[in-house]
């Protein structure tokens, strides 16, 4: 096992380190406070109070009412539940509008809907990863049940104008759901006054634990549950609550609310210094995605002349964690669906790497990464990908 102190973790869009304050808050609910929140006695009721507090904290982070928060098992479930609900509400509306750059939590679900007799319109993006809102509006038909569009892209960090999209959906009288799993905790969100019907978030992207998420459902929006059984979550998500994880998500939301403004500018400055220095030191490097409408923590770079999975291997040997924008499948290097949708030249898409920063990164991490990356990329530029796999870790 590699100890976490040894690594340079620049993969915060994949998952984040638990905040120690979150661990402290959740532990008693794994040991002492094991009562069932639905039980009528004090030992159970105190657990219910802890869940209520978590709901208030998540609502405060989103700028909505606590009653609009439904706890789920993950971000994927939240996305699936919102879209399924819309399809169930009106049997005459079996059409979904989405985009070409969604996470598989939406993309695969939409593929299943299309195979199961529904229909899906996928709206494309331009070379910077931006949507054409007129095209999106034209995609909505009288049969459309829901428009589902992510807030921030997990690979490029590109931000979509969800407020405008929500307004288009409202005008066209269709529901609007947003996968905000990458944006919650990274940018300010205030749902009061917005016309978003539902929004998905996931605790492990904001220094909470894996396996717990939430779905915001606007109090004026009808909702049909995905998981059916008991009356938990006000009949919107059955099953005995994952208490410790929900408490942890609440604390993670509280920490994010408190840290957001300061963290946002610190992380942005760190990302920008990293990106500027890499562009200076590594020739033929390009930034993928819109550089303005972008999460403050994400940098998606293409190092022309390399294959990203070979770079991933070499970075791994230096304990540098990041993500590759392409992967070798059945002997061919294939770019991610996001970069393909952006229509990047194949050489650029194959050479893309994602670096994503977070609360626990330091300037020292940036310095170490800036030593490793130029050396690895220049080495890879002169050797073949198969040789890269055999190279010893010396730069
Ligand atoms: N949507 C986006 C944009 C994501 O980045 C992720 C996780 O990587 C998910 C959905 C899935 O979230 P979860 O892992 O909580 O199911």
């Amino acid at each position: 096992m590699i100890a976490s102190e040894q690594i340079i973790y620049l993969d915060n869009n994949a998952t984040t380190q638990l905040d120690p304050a979150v661990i402290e808050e959740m532990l008693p609910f794994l040991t002492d406070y094991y009562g069932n929140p639905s039980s009528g006695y004090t030992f159970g009721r105190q657990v219910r109070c802890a869940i209520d507090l978590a709901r208030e904290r998540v609502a405060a982070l989103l700028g909505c009412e606590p009653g609009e928060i439904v706890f789920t098992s993950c971000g994927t479930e939240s996305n699936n539940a919102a879209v399924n609900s819309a399809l169930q509400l009106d049997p005459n509306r079996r059409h979904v509008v989405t985009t070409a750059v969604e996470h598989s939590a939406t993309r695969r679900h939409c593929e299943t809907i299309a195979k199961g007799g529904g229909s899906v319109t996928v709206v494309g993006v331009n070379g910077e990863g931006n949507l054409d809102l007129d095209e999106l509006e034209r995609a909505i038909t009288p049969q459309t049940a829901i428009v589902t569009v992510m807030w921030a892209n997990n690979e490029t960090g590109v931000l979509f104008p969800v407020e405008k999209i929500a307004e288009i959906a409202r005008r066209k009288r269709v529901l609007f759901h947003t996968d905000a799993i990458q944006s919650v905790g990274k940018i300010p969100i205030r749902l009061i006054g917005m016309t978003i019907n539902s929004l998905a978030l996931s605790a492990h992207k904001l220094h909470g634990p894996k396996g717990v998420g939430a779905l915001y459902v606007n109090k004026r929006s009808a909702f049909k549950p995905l998981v059916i059984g008991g009356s938990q979550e006000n009949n919107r998500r059955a099953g005995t609550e994952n208490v410790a994880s929900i408490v942890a998500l609440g604390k993670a939301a509280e920490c994010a609310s408190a840290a957001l403004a300061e963290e946002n500018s610190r992380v942005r400055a760190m990302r920008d210094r990293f990106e500027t220095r890499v562009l200076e030191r590594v020739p033929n490097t390009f930034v993928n995605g819109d550089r303005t409408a972008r999460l403050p923590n994400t940098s998606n770079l293409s190092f022309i002349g390399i294959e990203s999975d070979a770079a991933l291997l070499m970075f791994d040997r230096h304990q540098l964690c990041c993500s590759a924008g392409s992967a070798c499948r059945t002997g061919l290097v294939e770019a991610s669906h996001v970069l393909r949708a952006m229509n990047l030249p194949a050489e650029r898409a194959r050479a893309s790497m994602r670096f994503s920063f977070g609360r626990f990164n330091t300037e020292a991490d940036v310095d170490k990464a800036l030593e490793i990356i130029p050396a690895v990329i220049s080495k890879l530029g002169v050797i073949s990908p198969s040789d890269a796999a055999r190279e010893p870790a010396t730069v």
Side-chain angles (χ1 to χ4, degrees):
M1 297 282 266
I2 300 173
S4 60
E5 313 85 66
Q6 294 169 345
I7 62 160
I8 307 153
Y9 189 75
L10 302 186
D11 206 14
N12 286 274
N13 285 7
T15 196
T16 56
Q17 183 187 335
L18 273 174
D19 193 305
V22 169
I23 302 175
E24 195 184 322
E25 189 110 352
M26 80 186 283
L27 280 182
F29 293 89
L30 292 169
T31 52
D32 293 347
Y33 307 125
Y34 56 81
N36 188 319
S38 300
S39 298
Y41 39 78
T42 309
F43 190 59
R45 271 202 308 273
Q46 65 190 14
V47 176
R48 153 102 13 246
C49 287
I51 292 181
D52 289 344
L53 176 62
R55 208 182 300 286
E56 282 165 24
R57 287 168 163 174
V58 172
L61 178 64
L62 299 181
C64 67
E65 293 179 17
E68 295 177 308
I69 300 299
V70 180
F71 290 113
T72 64
S73 70
C74 58
T76 301
E77 183 191 321
S78 301
N79 280 334
N80 280 214
V83 174
N84 267 3
S85 166
L87 291 170
Q88 280 181 56
L89 284 170
D90 182 349
N92 296 317
R93 288 175 179 253
R94 303 284 306 153
H95 176 236
V96 178
V97 175
T98 189
T99 83
V101 293
E102 299 297 309
H103 187 273
S104 51
T106 299
R107 212 158 50 95
R108 294 262 165 80
H109 187 208
C110 285
E111 284 166 15
T112 308
I113 291 164
K115 279 186 199 137
S119 62
V120 177
T121 301
V122 179
V123 180
V125 294
N126 66 13
E128 304 238 275
N130 291 316
L131 281 174
D132 176 343
L133 295 191
D134 292 332
E135 189 186 337
L136 183 126
E137 182 159 359
R138 284 194 300 274
I140 300 172
T141 72
Q143 282 72 47
T144 304
I146 192 164
V147 175
T148 176
V149 173
M150 69 201 319
W151 196 316
N153 188 274
N154 47 303
E155 292 189 25
T156 59
V158 170
L159 293 163
F160 283 152
V162 287
E163 198 160 358
K164 288 187 185 157
I165 300 170
E167 265 310 301
I168 293 172
R170 187 193 58 80
R171 238 188 306 117
K172 293 271 191 167
R173 295 177 180 280
V174 302
L175 294 171
F176 175 60
H177 170 74
T178 185
D179 169 350
I181 288 162
Q182 289 294 346
S183 46
V184 172
K186 292 181 186 147
I187 57 168
I189 293 178
R190 203 171 147 70
L191 291 171
I192 286 176
M194 288 174 88
T195 55
I196 291 175
N197 296 99
S198 56
L199 172 150
L201 67 92
S202 179
H204 75 105
K205 308 289 184 180
L206 59 144
H207 304 287
K210 294 159 189 63
V212 61
L215 178 66
Y216 154 84
V217 184
N218 182 288
K219 63 182 176 194
R220 283 179 288 275
S221 305
F223 181 73
K224 296 260 187 201
L226 177 69
V227 182
I228 297 160
S231 57
Q232 290 90 353
E233 295 300 289
N234 207 5
N235 289 308
R236 291 169 300 180
R237 204 275 184 185
T240 302
E241 297 88 338
N242 181 353
V243 179
S245 295
I246 290 172
V247 166
L249 169 53
K251 187 64 183 173
E254 188 192 56
C255 294
S257 301
L260 193 66
E262 190 257 316
E263 195 166 292
N264 204 322
S265 46
R266 192 185 72 87
V267 168
R268 184 189 298 277
M270 205 154 46
R271 188 273 314 265
D272 288 349
R273 180 167 84 88
F274 166 83
E275 197 167 88
T276 308
R277 295 284 176 273
V278 172
L279 291 171
E280 280 167 6
R281 293 180 193 180
V282 187
N284 283 324
T285 301
F286 295 88
V287 179
N288 297 318
D290 192 315
R291 289 176 75 168
T292 318
R294 185 168 56 143
L295 285 174
N297 81 319
T298 308
S299 178
N300 189 310
L301 302 175
S302 284
F303 303 105
I304 304 300
I306 63 124
E307 302 288 352
S308 56
D309 50 356
L312 196 71
L313 263 174
M314 296 277 275
F315 289 155
D316 186 30
R317 293 179 189 178
H318 295 278
Q319 260 74 279
L320 171 61
C321 305
C322 62
S323 284
S326 61
C328 191
R329 290 188 194 91
T330 60
L332 289 171
V333 178
E334 200 176 280
S336 79
H337 70 284
V338 175
L339 303 175
R340 277 185 278 137
M342 287 163 64
N343 223 355
L344 294 185
E347 194 190 13
R348 180 160 160 184
R350 283 205 311 268
S352 101
M353 309 290 302
R354 178 190 71 189
F355 304 91
S356 47
F357 296 81
R359 182 174 305 159
F360 297 109
N361 285 126
T362 61
E363 293 295 339
D365 291 332
V366 176
D367 291 337
K368 284 187 212 150
L370 288 172
E371 276 173 30
I372 296 164
I373 295 167
V376 164
I377 300 302
S378 86
K379 199 161 204 170
L380 280 174
V382 292
I383 59 173
S384 72
S386 53
D387 287 344
R390 291 191 290 271
E391 270 291 300
T394 47
V395 279

